[in-house]
Amino acid sequence: GENVEQHPSTLSVQEGDSAVIKCTYSDSASNYFPWYKQELGKRPQLIIDIRSNVGEKKDQRIAVTLNKTAKHFSLHITETQPEDSAVYFCAASPSGGGADGLTFGKGTHLIIQP
Amino acid sequence: DGGITQSPKYLFRKEGQNVTLSCEQNLNHDAMYWYRQDPGQGLRLIYYSQIVNDFQKGDIAEGYSVSREKKESFPLTVTSAQKNPTAFYLCASSIAPGRSYEQYFGPGTRLTVT
């Protein structure tokens, strides 16, 4: 089955700096890669996603890049703010479209230092 | 708030007892999912259902059972056969396989078994 590795497990950055979280996946058939943000005790919420026919996608301060050849994708957050502090999860869809569920990385705890 | 409800928010049970977690959605979504989250871990797929009266095992189905008798409901039973049932359980839904990829999560049920 699919295996998703996520790094780092904890990331501390100064407010205003950029943060980058990286994930690798194992199943070359995967074609959907979402990123979720989870605040303490809350539900995960989708912040951005990318499909395999696109190399990069941007939404204001958040961007995701995908390298299908190397089987890795990354989340980039620019101009970080205190409200960006949370746990971020990457995921991959082994069957395409997420129909068979998602395989998640173990998460990155992002800490924004004032 | 996303149209997916889970009840109760907190659940306490004695070891050896079966317990059923509720998940209801009014989004008219075809697909529904159950994930388990442990501290410091990503989400792991337990069961999923793409259509009424049909469901599939995920990566960690042992010790769990589900039913999908109605489109809007996907209850999860944690049986006494589950070795480590204490966890945060999250239900999710998506519109339909092939039509939309995004999974929407419920608020979760935190189960404690002693």
Side-chain angles (χ1 to χ4, degrees):
Chain A
E2 174 66 279
N3 182 51
V4 176
E5 300 282 344
Q6 183 172 347
H7 298 280
S9 57
T10 303
L11 178 60
S12 182
V13 301
Q14 290 294 126
E15 182 178 348
D17 288 350
S18 295
V20 180
I21 302 170
K22 300 182 179 181
C23 290
T24 60
Y25 61 98
S26 61
D27 188 344
S28 56
S30 288
N31 65 6
Y32 174 62
F33 307 93
W35 286 88
Y36 283 84
K37 175 183 180 182
Q38 187 179 31
E39 297 175 359
L40 190 63
K42 301 287 183 62
R43 72 186 80 191
Q45 295 197 305
L46 181 73
I47 56 171
I48 195 167
D49 57 12
I50 191 168
R51 293 168 177 68
S52 59
N53 58 348
V54 176
E56 183 175 0
K57 184 177 178 180
K58 193 172 181 179
D59 183 3
Q60 299 183 348
R61 297 187 296 109
I62 295 173
V64 57
T65 58
L66 171 65
N67 183 326
K68 283 202 70 179
T69 303
K71 289 191 280 189
H72 67 69
F73 55 113
S74 300
L75 177 71
H76 304 253
I77 305 174
T78 59
E79 301 173 7
T80 53
Q81 300 170 3
E83 54 265 35
D84 294 330
S85 293
V87 179
Y88 292 80
F89 293 96
C90 62
S93 171
S95 68
D100 295 345
L102 298 169
T103 299
F104 284 84
K106 292 188 176 182
T108 295
H109 185 194
L110 177 61
I111 301 166
I112 307 302
Q113 303 280 5
Chain B
D1 198 13
I4 303 178
T5 58
Q6 290 184 244
S7 61
K9 188 173 182 179
Y10 298 96
L11 191 53
F12 298 88
R13 279 294 183 269
K14 294 289 187 186
E15 196 173 315
Q17 293 179 335
N18 291 357
V19 60
T20 297
L21 281 59
S22 167
C23 177
E24 304 277 333
Q25 53 97 0
N26 62 4
L27 301 168
N28 199 32
H29 285 178
D30 287 310
M32 297 186 74
Y33 311 84
W34 274 105
Y35 293 90
R36 168 184 172 139
Q37 186 175 28
D38 295 284
Q41 300 291 317
L43 284 68
R44 292 182 290 167
L45 182 66
I46 304 172
Y47 267 98
Y48 62 98
S49 168
Q50 297 181 9
I51 197 169
V52 174
N53 292 322
D54 186 53
F55 48 83
Q56 307 294 330
K57 292 182 179 180
D59 300 321
I60 56 166
E62 186 175 350
Y64 300 97
S65 66
V66 293
S67 63
R68 187 84 188 278
E69 297 177 1
K70 298 187 296 181
K71 186 175 183 178
E72 54 271 19
S73 179
F74 191 40
L76 173 75
T77 296
V78 184
T79 75
S80 56
Q82 168 51 230
K83 296 285 187 281
N84 298 295
T86 294
F88 188 46
Y89 290 87
L90 286 156
C91 179
S93 69
S94 63
I95 292 178
R99 285 179 54 195
S100 174
Y101 297 161
E102 180 175 356
Q103 291 188 15
Y104 297 82
F105 284 86
T109 291
R110 193 167 298 279
L111 174 65
T112 302
V113 177
T114 57

